């Protein structure tokens, strides 16, 4: 993961690239122009590495859009956080307040840097192989950002703005695409090209693990097609990963969430971490850790699992204890075996699957010594192989084809008996149990399945059966997308329109 260290060893030029606020920014006076910067292979590496720097901010993949994933029935908001509570309740009061206002702009920042790489790569004096790798990375990173934006803010009535990357940044506001399909078509075209250019993970030297690779592009293609309800293509690209991607499920579910397996055969794409050296990485494990960490470490105490999630697991499902830690159960923290108790969690439980780095003595280098930024050496999965298998299973079922083989691959590792004649209900069950508390995003699953309104009309409960979150009013005509941040509407002078009903 040495390439991440280079992100911080940058010149004044690359600092300019990192500090930009998006493709629409005017370049600061006195900084080098694109034409004067993009010349050497080192310029390309420095510029491309700038795509990754924003990912380590606490409000990107630490919390960030996870405030919106938190809307699902799998978890509730820990502590008092008005913007998160209002978003979970689908209240427009969350608009124009807090960190959710920044999510749109943060992702366009990354798109802006990726566009600079793509726009200038032909000027670089280096080998074709090097150009192909970094062009593939830029196309992948742009696609990932566009997908996260489009899937959250776009629908059939309006998509998200598509930046013309062939030109230098335009100071004029760019209107939204006519619909989200335009965004998905754009993403698909880029990802297909990225997949052609990117190396396989096996072709990357170990020091560059964490960079996008061919199977990551195929997997994201499968997910985009799933959201497009293009079942045939979702099946095809998931199958590409399964047959050509050299991926396999780890035999033990708990091993997926251990730092020693950050780049195992189940890895697709993650937020890499290097706490021993730089204290960077996803802070999601620390975000989910008990608030104040029982006096030993500054956990933040958000995103607590519900009884509804706990009860979804079948008897004997090995994933339940890996996923959820509830009061009275033993665990290891800071090198000591403890019995879990909480003064913080409303549900009397916390997510357990990210706890492995905290089992070691806290000063051993597995967690950042600064608890104010509680990242760990676990590369938190953004997408992993099990989700690819479930994407193929869903695509098969939606085409009327059997998906028993795929679903039973997941069930076997969970210690469960195989099923025959698997239905969409079986798929939904396995997806929920397998991917709970992850960036796979159950809220978006419920929305795209048409299940959100009925699901959210029910209260959520703690492990003792007490109600911890009241029923909510989800209007599918409005809440199938989130509100566009008010700052984007204001800064565009109304060119960017709000989603209808918000």
């Amino acid at each position: 993961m040495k390439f991440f260290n280079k992100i911080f060893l940058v010149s004044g030029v690359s600092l300019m690239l990192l500090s930009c606020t998006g493709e629409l920014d005017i370049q600061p006076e006195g900084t080098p122009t694109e034409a004067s910067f993009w010349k050497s292979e080192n310029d390309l590496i420095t510029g491309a590495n700038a795509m990754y720097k924003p990912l380590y901010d606490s409000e990107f993949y630490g919390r960030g859009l996870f405030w919106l994933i938190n809307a699902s029935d799998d978890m509730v908001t820990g502590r008092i956080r008005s913007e998160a509570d209002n978003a979970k309740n689908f209240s427009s009061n969350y608009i124009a307040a807090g960190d959710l206002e920044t999510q749109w702009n943060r992702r366009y920042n990354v798109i802006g840097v990726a566009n600079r790489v793509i726009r200038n790569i032909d000027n670089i004096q280096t080998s074709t192989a090097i150009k192909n790798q970094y062009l593939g990375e830029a196309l992948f990173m742009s696609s990932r950002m566009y997908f996260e934006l489009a899937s959250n803010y776009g629908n059939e009535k309006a998509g998200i703005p598509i930046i013309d990357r062939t030109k230098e940044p335009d100071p004029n506001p760019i209107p939204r695409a006519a619909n989200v399909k335009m965004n998905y078509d754009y993403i698909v075209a880029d990802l297909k090209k990225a997949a052609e250019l990117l190396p396989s993970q096996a072709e990357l030297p170990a020091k560059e693990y964490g960079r996008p690779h061919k199977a990551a592009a195929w997997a994201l293609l499968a997910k985009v097609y799933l959201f497009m309800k293009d079942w045939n293509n979702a099946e095809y690209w998931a199958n590409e990963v399964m047959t050509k991607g050299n991926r396999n499920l780890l035999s033990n579910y708990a091993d997926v969430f251990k730092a020693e397996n950050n780049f195992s055969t189940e890895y697709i794409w993650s937020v890499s971490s290097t706490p021993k050296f730089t204290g960077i990485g996803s802070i999601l494990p620390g975000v989910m850790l008990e608030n104040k960490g029982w006096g030993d470490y500054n956990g933040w105490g958000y995103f607590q699992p519900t009884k509804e999630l706990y009860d979804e697991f079948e008897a004997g499902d090995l994933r339940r204890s890996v996923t959820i830690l509830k009061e009275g159960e033993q665990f290891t923290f800071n090198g000591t075996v403890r019995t879990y108790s909480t003064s913080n969690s409303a549900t009397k439980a916390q997510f357990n699957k990210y706890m492995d780095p905290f089992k070691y003595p806290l000063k051993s280098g597995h967690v950042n010594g600064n608890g104010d930024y509680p990242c760990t050496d676990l590369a938190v999965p953004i997408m992993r192989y099990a989700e690819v298998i479930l994407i193929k299973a869903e695509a098969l079922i939606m085409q009327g084809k059997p998906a028993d083989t795929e679903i039973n691959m997941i069930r076997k590792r969970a210690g469960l008996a195989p099923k025959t004649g698997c239905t969409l209900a079986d798929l939904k069950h396995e997806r929920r149990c397998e991917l709970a508390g992850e960036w796979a995003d159950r809220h978006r699953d419920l929305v795209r399945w048409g299940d959100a309104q009925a699901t959210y009309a029910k209260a959520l409960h703690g492990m003792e059966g007490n109600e911890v979150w009241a029923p909510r009013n989800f209007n599918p005509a409005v809440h199938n997308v989130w509100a566009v941040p008010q700052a984007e509407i204001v800064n565009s002078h109304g060119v960017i329109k709000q989603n209808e009903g918000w």
Side-chain angles (χ1 to χ4, degrees):
M1 297 188 294
K2 291 181 181 178
F3 86 90
F4 288 106
N5 293 333
K6 294 181 181 179
I7 294 172
F8 300 93
L9 303 176
V10 292
S11 66
V13 173
S14 55
L15 282 171
M16 174 271 291
L17 293 172
L18 293 179
S19 64
C20 66
T21 56
E23 272 288 310
L24 304 185
D25 278 1
I26 298 173
Q27 188 167 287
E29 184 177 352
T31 58
T33 64
E34 289 193 19
S36 67
F37 175 67
W38 298 93
K39 297 293 186 182
S40 69
E41 182 177 309
N42 186 65
D43 293 343
L44 176 58
I45 294 171
T46 301
N49 281 350
M51 294 186 294
Y52 303 99
K53 171 68 162 57
L55 276 56
Y56 302 111
D57 186 274
S58 63
E59 298 306 331
F60 205 104
Y61 284 133
R63 293 179 299 188
L65 287 181
F66 218 93
W67 293 123
L68 304 181
I69 295 173
N70 178 61
S72 87
D73 55 341
D74 281 356
M75 63 188 81
V76 297
T77 311
R79 303 169 61 182
I80 297 173
R81 184 86 176 197
S82 60
E83 63 175 310
D85 293 352
N86 285 326
K88 189 172 180 70
N89 289 329
F90 309 108
S91 165
S92 59
N93 288 333
Y94 89 83
I95 301 172
D99 295 310
L100 284 171
E101 276 289 287
T102 70
Q103 298 307 306
W104 176 291
N105 190 50
R106 289 173 189 273
R107 282 157 177 80
Y108 273 110
N109 284 347
V110 179
I111 291 169
V113 179
N115 284 350
R116 288 184 173 93
V117 174
I118 296 165
R119 187 164 52 245
N120 291 285
I121 200 161
D122 287 339
N123 300 328
I124 303 296
Q125 300 299 312
T126 189
S127 68
T128 299
I130 292 293
K131 286 186 178 182
N132 285 347
Q133 177 178 340
Y134 286 103
L135 178 57
E137 287 188 27
L139 289 166
F140 175 87
M141 291 299 294
S142 173
S143 296
R144 180 71 215 186
M145 298 302 104
Y146 271 124
F147 175 69
E148 291 176 6
L149 290 164
S151 60
N152 278 289
Y153 299 108
N155 60 14
E156 72 283 356
K157 298 177 183 177
I160 59 168
I162 298 174
I163 309 298
D164 184 352
R165 61 167 61 118
T166 66
K167 302 176 182 177
E168 291 198 18
D170 186 345
N172 297 307
I174 298 172
R176 301 176 67 177
N179 54 63
V180 76
K181 185 179 183 301
M182 292 181 65
N183 297 128
Y184 288 151
D185 288 342
Y186 182 86
I187 294 167
V188 161
D190 274 1
L191 282 173
K192 287 181 177 178
K193 187 173 181 180
E196 293 175 359
L197 297 171
L198 287 169
S200 67
Q201 186 192 352
E203 292 173 311
L204 288 170
K207 68 180 180 180
E208 294 194 1
Y209 283 178
R211 291 190 180 276
H213 52 90
K214 198 175 295 290
W218 293 338
L220 185 52
L221 266 169
K223 188 160 185 173
V224 174
Y225 276 122
L226 190 78
F227 275 60
M228 296 175 74
K229 301 186 187 302
D230 184 338
W231 315 119
N232 182 63
N233 273 309
E235 175 195 353
Y236 174 85
W237 289 105
N239 195 60
E240 287 290 280
V241 180
M242 295 175 69
T243 57
K244 301 177 182 177
N246 196 29
R247 305 288 88 190
N248 285 293
L249 294 177
L250 297 181
S251 59
N252 181 5
Y253 183 72
D255 289 345
V256 175
F257 308 101
K258 295 179 179 179
E260 56 263 37
N261 297 313
N262 278 345
F263 303 109
S264 72
T265 57
E266 191 151 347
Y267 159 76
I268 294 293
W269 197 63
S270 303
V271 180
S272 295
S273 297
T274 58
K276 282 186 179 180
F277 309 108
T278 59
I280 65 171
S282 173
I283 64 168
L284 190 62
V287 168
M288 290 184 171
L289 179 67
E290 172 80 8
N291 188 25
K292 305 301 181 184
W294 301 281
D296 288 349
Y297 192 75
N298 190 23
W300 290 7
Y302 292 108
F303 310 136
Q304 298 158 356
T306 60
K307 189 174 188 296
E308 282 70 21
L309 172 60
Y310 186 86
D311 290 345
E312 180 75 16
F313 292 93
E314 300 167 50
D317 191 329
L318 300 175
R319 296 172 296 193
R320 181 160 64 184
S321 62
V322 174
T323 302
I324 297 174
L325 180 64
K326 63 186 184 70
E327 284 199 322
E329 295 179 341
Q330 286 195 327
F331 71 111
T332 301
F333 182 75
N334 195 14
T336 302
V337 176
R338 302 179 179 225
T339 299
Y340 176 73
S341 63
T342 176
S343 59
N344 167 65
S345 175
T347 67
K348 301 299 182 184
Q350 76 163 64
F351 280 101
N352 193 36
K353 59 173 53 173
Y354 303 121
M355 284 287 285
D356 188 75
F358 296 106
K359 73 184 181 185
Y360 304 98
L362 293 171
K363 295 183 179 180
S364 65
H366 291 276
V367 304
N368 187 9
N370 180 3
D372 291 336
Y373 197 87
C375 63
T376 74
D377 60 353
L378 173 66
V380 172
I382 304 300
M383 194 172 186
R384 57 186 177 87
Y385 184 52
E387 185 178 3
V388 175
I389 296 171
L390 290 169
I391 287 172
K392 183 181 178 184
E394 183 173 348
L396 289 169
I397 289 169
M398 296 305 292
Q399 295 176 86
K401 300 177 182 178
D404 294 358
T405 297
E406 289 73 19
I407 286 179
N408 287 328
M409 288 172 66
I410 302 298
R411 289 181 62 81
K412 179 180 179 181
R413 180 172 66 174
L416 300 173
K419 287 184 175 180
T420 58
C422 290
T423 65
L424 185 58
D426 295 313
L427 179 281
K428 292 176 179 179
H429 168 75
E430 294 304 330
R431 189 170 172 91
R432 185 180 191 185
C433 293
E434 179 70 22
L435 302 171
E438 298 187 38
W439 278 95
D441 196 344
R442 175 162 169 81
H443 170 67
R444 294 253 63 87
D445 285 345
L446 291 170
V447 171
R448 66 185 180 82
W449 289 330
D451 294 341
Q453 185 174 28
T455 299
Y456 296 155
K458 301 173 184 177
L460 298 175
H461 298 84
M463 298 300 154
E464 297 172 348
N466 55 310
E467 182 177 308
V468 296
W469 211 274
R472 294 167 285 162
N473 180 24
F474 179 92
N475 181 352
V478 174
H479 303 136
N480 64 328
V481 286
W482 293 102
V484 174
Q486 186 65 22
E488 304 304 324
I489 296 170
V490 172
N491 291 340
S492 74
H493 305 290
V495 171
I496 294 175
K497 306 295 184 184
Q498 183 56 274
N499 281 321
E500 187 176 303
W502 280 103

